[in-house]
């Protein structure tokens, strides 16, 4: 992968993302032309002084569709880079951002708010906050279970993640089973499969800045991420402080995943397949994998969210179903390709 | 330059290394030999600080290696360990470039000097022609040489090799040893092939049951008694008629 090809690819993906977002704004119960979209955008940014779009159209574009699509791209980018980083951390190609228990922890939080009315003083933010706290609780538990003599063992991290996820899923399922409220049960199911319907300009700031922070931090450490892929011994002899670096990744990746899950539920598959697709295109060097994953993840989720809005319109399909249905065939196709080894080495 | 003093290492219920003391002089090629399980790899792992000794001290330039920052140590000491599990795919050039990791601050880009060092390392290890191939397409011998090139790019003063000739065919074994021997740096290598050790090393350390059994030049160390005592092998000691180096002939009563 040469520098020029890399730059071209980044350019193409940025254009692709902007085009996808434009199309996504156009699609919906009210048709909107691309011209209006850009006009309203520039009008709101103060570049244009007037717009031909009617007030209603402006509201739909600016207050309803835009935040949702921006959130989709933030969530997609965040899950993709978290997946890429986690795959380096545990050196395992089936790892995804939820492997440390984030999603099951968040589900317990969300379910207890929806079904039991916990944190109701917080009003609309209760679900997000509870989900975030649940996610962080799960990761902290996994982290301490995986620490032996002050060192983090990768295999223990994976197994502790599975064990903690199982317990927490059991708790969620128990709450669902004991609940008598049909609506509540449906709401929890909907939440667990993910949705971006709750997007508002006011709740985009935290996800956006978390993504920006974690992306920059990871990219600054791309050499260490690369070195981790060579094996822990080799990474250590290349000057990587293994324990510190692992804690660093776990901390920031969990933080970002927690934030994203809190606003959108646990959308599966993106964090698993996007890094693999990206590696097929550009190789394993994290200097390229991180930026390209973030853009690809964003594009993928913008399209997935668009599909979620229109397949069952006026009903909404949970986006997790779309990502799985669209993602799996791509993944299976990759499995059948001989050139990509999924990190098998031989 | 490198000293090991009274080093012991134990895991619960088992003493792995027992009170080892030796020192390595600058520029020497030191071979570590001993049967399986005698503690060669463990000792090397402690020297490159992947494991921590239970007692004793490892010093580099008279300074405890425990006090070196991780990056500083990586600038002094490069390692080709037995693990070569490259997950996913890197090009050879990318991999060798990773040898520059210990010299890089957070945002530093690869500069022309790094590229020159990487190219030189690839040339030395005879992998320059493979630079844009991906690692997984390479043969075992090529992979080993790439890992060596990566270690060379670290520009360390000491190179530690853990059984570098494992899984290599005869040509590549000798090629690799020639290459390493020519390097102007200190080499510490665990070796299985005693004739290779005799042919290339200046000093041999013989390990037996986690202790240092003997230390000396190949001629001093590789005697019929040592081989019987340590390796439980009958051997005749002779000279290679072509290289005039010490050569061993092993035999059983088959």
């Amino acid at each position: 992968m040469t520098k020029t090809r890399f730059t071209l690819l980044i350019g193409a993906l940025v254009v692709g993302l902007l085009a996808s977002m434009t199309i996504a704004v156009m699609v919906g119960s009210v048709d909107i032309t691309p011209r209006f979209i850009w006009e309203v955008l520039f009008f709101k940014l103060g570049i244009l002084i007037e717009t031909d779009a009617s007030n209603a159209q402006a509201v739909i574009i600016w207050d309803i569709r835009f935040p949702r699509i921006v959130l989709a791209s933030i969530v997609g980018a965040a899950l993709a880079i978290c997946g890429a980083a986690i795959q380096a951390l545990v050196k395992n190609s089936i790892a995804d951002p939820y492997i440390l228990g984030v999603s099951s922890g968040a589900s317990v939080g969300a379910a207890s708010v929806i079904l039991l009315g916990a944190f109701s003083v917080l009003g609309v933010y209760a679900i997000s906050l509870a989900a975030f706290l649940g996610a962080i609780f799960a990761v902290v538990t996994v982290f301490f279970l995986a620490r032996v003599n002050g060192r983090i063992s990768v295999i223990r991290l994976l197994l502790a993640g599975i064990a903690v996820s199982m317990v927490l899923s059991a708790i969620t399922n128990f709450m669902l089973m004991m609940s008598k409220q049909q609506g509540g049960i449906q709401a929890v199911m909907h939440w667990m499969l993910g949705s971006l319907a709750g997007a508002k300009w006011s709740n985009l700031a935290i996800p956006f800045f978390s993504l920006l922070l974690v992306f920059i931090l990871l990219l600054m450490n791309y050499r260490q991420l690369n070195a981790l892929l060579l094996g822990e011994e080799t990474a250590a002899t290349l000057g990587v402080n293994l324990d510190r670096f692992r804690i660093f990744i776990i901390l920031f990746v969990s933080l970002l995943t927690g934030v994203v899950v809190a606003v959108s539920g646990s959308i599966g598959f993106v964090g698993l397949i996007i890094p693999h697709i990206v590696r097929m295109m550009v190789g394993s060097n994290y200097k390229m994998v991180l930026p390209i994953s973030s853009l690809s993840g964003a594009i993928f989720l913008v399209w997935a969210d668009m599909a979620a809005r229109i397949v069952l319109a006026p009903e909404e399909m949970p986006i997790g179903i779309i990502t799985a249905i669209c993602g799996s065939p791509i993944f299976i196709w990759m499995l059948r390709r001989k050139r990509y080894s999924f990190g098998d080495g031989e | 330059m490198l000293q090991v003093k009274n080093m012991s290492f134990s895991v619960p219920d088992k003493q792995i290394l027992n009170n080892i003391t030796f020192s390595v002089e600058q520029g020497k090629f030191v071979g570590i030999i001993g049967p399986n399980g005698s503690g060669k790899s463990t000792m090397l792992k402690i020297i490159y600080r992947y494991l921590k000794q239970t007692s004793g001290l490892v010093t580099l330039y008279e300074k405890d290696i425990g006090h070196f920052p991780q990056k500083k140590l990586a600038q002094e000491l490069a390692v080709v360990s037995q693990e070569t599990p490259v997950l996913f795919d890197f090009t050879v050039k990318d991999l060798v470039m990773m040898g520059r990791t210990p010299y890089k601050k957070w945002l530093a880009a690869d500069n022309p000097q790094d590229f020159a060092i990487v190219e030189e390392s690839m040339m030395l290890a005879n992998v320059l022609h493979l630079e844009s191939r991906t690692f997984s397409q390479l043969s075992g011998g090529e992979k080993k040489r790439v890992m060596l090139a990566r270690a060379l790019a670290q520009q360390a003063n000491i190179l530690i090799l853990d059984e570098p000739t494992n899984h290599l065919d005869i040509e590549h074994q000798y090629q690799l040893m020639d290459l390493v021997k020519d390097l102007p740096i200190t080499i510490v290598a665990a070796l299985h092939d005693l004739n290779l050790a005799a042919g290339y090393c200046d000093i041999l350390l013989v390990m037996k049951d986690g202790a240092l059994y003997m230390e000396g030049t190949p001629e001093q160390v590789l005697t019929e008694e040592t081989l019987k005592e340590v390796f439980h092998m009958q051997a005749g000691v002779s000279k290679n008629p072509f290289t005039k180096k010490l050569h061993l002939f092993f035999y059983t009563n088959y």
Side-chain angles (χ1 to χ4, degrees):
Chain A
M1 191 89 202
T2 59
K3 228 181 171 135
T4 31
R5 261 194 70 195
F6 175 67
T7 320
L8 276 176
L9 188 57
I10 290 279
L13 287 170
V14 169
V15 172
L17 178 60
L18 291 178
S20 306
M21 289 169 90
T22 311
I23 296 170
V25 177
M26 285 161 59
V27 172
S29 51
V30 178
D31 281 331
I32 286 162
T33 59
R35 191 173 68 92
F36 278 164
I37 296 168
W38 290 98
E39 263 187 31
V40 169
L41 177 65
F42 288 138
F43 175 71
K44 289 285 179 185
L45 294 177
I47 301 168
L48 279 181
I49 305 157
E50 52 176 358
T51 164
D52 291 338
S54 70
N55 225 349
Q57 280 171 321
V59 167
I60 290 173
I61 294 173
W62 185 252
D63 292 321
I64 298 177
R65 293 198 189 158
F66 254 138
R68 179 168 182 156
I69 286 151
V70 171
L71 183 65
S73 44
I74 292 173
V75 170
L79 290 175
I81 60 166
C82 288
I86 284 281
Q87 284 167 3
L89 172 77
V90 299
K91 265 188 71 186
N92 195 318
S93 40
I94 59 158
D96 74 359
Y98 304 139
I99 203 130
L100 303 178
V102 172
S103 66
S104 46
S107 300
V108 172
S112 52
V113 169
I114 298 170
L115 298 177
L116 309 177
F119 295 107
S120 51
V121 280
L122 290 162
V124 285
Y125 296 109
I127 295 181
S128 291
L129 187 75
F132 183 75
L133 291 179
I136 296 306
F137 168 78
V139 173
V140 169
T141 312
V142 168
F143 178 77
F144 282 106
L145 286 175
R147 245 168 113 89
V148 201
N149 301 329
R151 272 202 163 178
I152 305 160
S153 132
V154 163
I155 190 72
R156 276 170 196 270
L157 202 59
L158 284 170
L159 293 175
I162 292 173
V164 168
S165 294
M166 279 180 166
V167 173
L168 294 175
S169 307
I171 295 175
T172 309
N173 288 334
F174 182 72
M175 282 195 274
L176 282 172
M177 207 199 73
M178 295 306 280
S179 175
K180 298 281 182 291
Q181 350 157 10
Q182 247 341 292
I185 293 170
Q186 255 209 329
V188 174
M189 293 302 288
H190 230 273
W191 187 89
M192 287 203 289
L193 289 165
S195 168
L196 298 165
K200 284 189 290 284
W201 282 119
S202 58
N203 60 17
L204 287 185
I206 295 175
F208 176 75
F209 286 110
S210 311
L211 169 65
L212 197 66
L213 173 76
V214 174
F215 178 76
I216 290 172
L217 285 174
L218 288 177
L219 196 61
M220 273 157 90
N221 285 284
Y222 80 89
R223 285 175 209 275
Q224 278 75 5
L225 286 165
N226 281 343
L228 271 192
L229 293 183
L230 299 188
E232 35 187 85
E233 238 177 87
T234 310
T237 65
L238 284 173
V240 177
N241 188 329
L242 279 182
D243 289 320
R244 228 169 45 196
F245 189 58
R246 281 191 181 137
I247 293 174
F248 161 84
I249 296 189
I250 293 174
L251 181 72
F252 284 100
V253 164
S254 308
L255 188 79
L256 180 57
T257 315
V259 166
V260 159
V261 169
V263 292
S264 65
S266 42
I267 299 172
F269 242 71
V270 185
L272 174 67
I273 54 164
I274 296 293
H276 282 302
I277 294 176
V278 169
R279 283 195 201 92
M280 267 176 87
M281 298 193 296
V282 302
S284 303
N285 192 339
Y286 271 82
K287 191 181 179 179
M288 295 164 186
V289 168
L290 288 169
I292 294 188
S293 292
S294 62
L295 288 169
S296 312
I299 293 175
F300 180 70
L301 218 63
V302 167
W303 282 93
D305 180 54
M306 201 186 335
R309 282 187 288 141
I310 56 178
V311 257
L312 287 183
E315 286 283 302
E316 278 217 13
M317 181 95 141
I319 189 168
I321 294 178
I322 306 280
T323 54
I325 287 178
C326 304
S328 304
I330 304 176
F331 206 56
I332 290 164
W333 169 75
M334 283 167 61
L335 277 177
R336 303 294 304 163
R337 281 199 22 160
K338 294 221 167 59
R339 259 200 59 221
Y340 184 71
S341 65
F342 284 91
D344 205 12
E346 290 312 309
Chain B
M1 64 192 307
L2 178 72
Q3 282 188 308
V4 172
K5 288 176 202 154
N6 308 104
M7 180 214 276
S8 296
F9 180 73
S10 51
V11 291
D13 308 329
K14 197 164 188 264
Q15 179 98 6
I16 311 271
L17 295 175
N18 192 2
N19 203 19
I20 293 176
T21 301
F22 66 88
S23 59
V24 174
E25 279 172 53
Q26 180 129 25
K28 292 276 191 256
F29 190 147
V30 178
I32 300 169
I33 57 174
N36 292 337
S38 58
K40 302 186 295 290
S41 288
T42 310
M43 185 171 84
L44 289 181
K45 282 185 171 60
I46 292 174
I47 292 175
Y48 59 76
R49 220 176 68 178
Y50 182 69
L51 295 175
K52 184 150 177 42
Q53 68 273 24
T54 324
S55 64
L57 200 61
V58 183
T59 61
L60 185 60
Y61 310 122
E62 320 271 297
K63 203 176 140 193
D64 185 349
I65 58 158
H67 296 154
F68 277 80
Q70 192 98 24
K71 280 194 170 179
K72 190 82 191 105
L73 192 67
Q75 293 172 8
E76 294 294 340
L77 210 138
V79 180
V80 178
S81 67
Q82 285 199 57
E83 58 172 8
T84 48
V86 171
L87 198 72
F88 310 115
D89 251 357
F90 287 101
T91 62
V92 168
K93 196 174 180 181
D94 279 351
L95 261 175
V96 178
M97 187 54 95
M98 287 185 205
R100 303 302 298 158
T101 306
Y103 295 90
K104 290 298 171 190
K105 296 232 160 58
W106 265 24
L107 279 171
D110 305 327
N111 55 39
Q113 195 198 347
D114 294 318
F115 283 107
I117 292 167
V118 164
E119 187 159 326
E120 193 194 322
S121 308
M122 287 195 290
M123 198 133 70
L124 265 175
N126 193 15
V127 291
L128 191 55
H129 59 290
L130 304 171
E131 65 172 349
S132 41
R133 294 268 292 280
T134 55
F135 190 77
S136 59
Q137 298 169 353
L138 304 181
S139 72
E142 289 168 336
K143 282 183 182 168
K144 238 343 175 306
R145 298 207 311 270
V146 170
M147 296 318 270
L148 182 67
R150 195 218 71 226
L152 295 179
Q154 266 174 271
Q155 297 209 311
N157 292 316
I158 302 178
L159 178 61
I160 293 179
L161 306 164
D162 194 355
E163 294 181 14
T165 56
N166 247 5
H167 309 300
L168 296 190
D169 63 32
I170 190 83
E171 181 197 353
H172 288 110
Q173 289 186 18
Y174 280 87
Q175 207 181 46
L176 188 113
M177 292 302 277
D178 281 346
L179 194 166
V180 171
K181 179 78 180 168
D182 272 343
L183 297 171
I185 56 176
T186 311
I187 314 279
V188 180
L191 293 165
H192 256 310
D193 186 324
L194 300 182
N195 282 318
L196 274 182
Y200 288 90
C201 297
D202 303 313
I203 302 286
L204 289 180
L205 306 176
V206 187
M207 307 256 315
K208 184 182 186 239
D209 302 327
L212 187 62
Y213 180 83
M214 206 178 191
E215 174 181 3
T217 62
E219 286 75 17
Q220 290 168 341
V221 163
L222 295 173
T223 60
E224 287 174 29
E225 298 91 285
T226 324
L227 291 163
K228 183 141 214 148
E229 204 46 49
V230 177
F231 293 92
H232 309 295
M233 281 300 290
Q234 288 175 288
V237 180
S238 175
K239 267 204 165 26
N240 183 323
F242 304 102
T243 61
K244 307 293 178 228
K245 298 277 189 188
L246 185 139
H247 196 89
L248 304 170
F249 292 94
F250 297 101
Y251 59 95
T252 58
N253 298 323
Y254 177 69

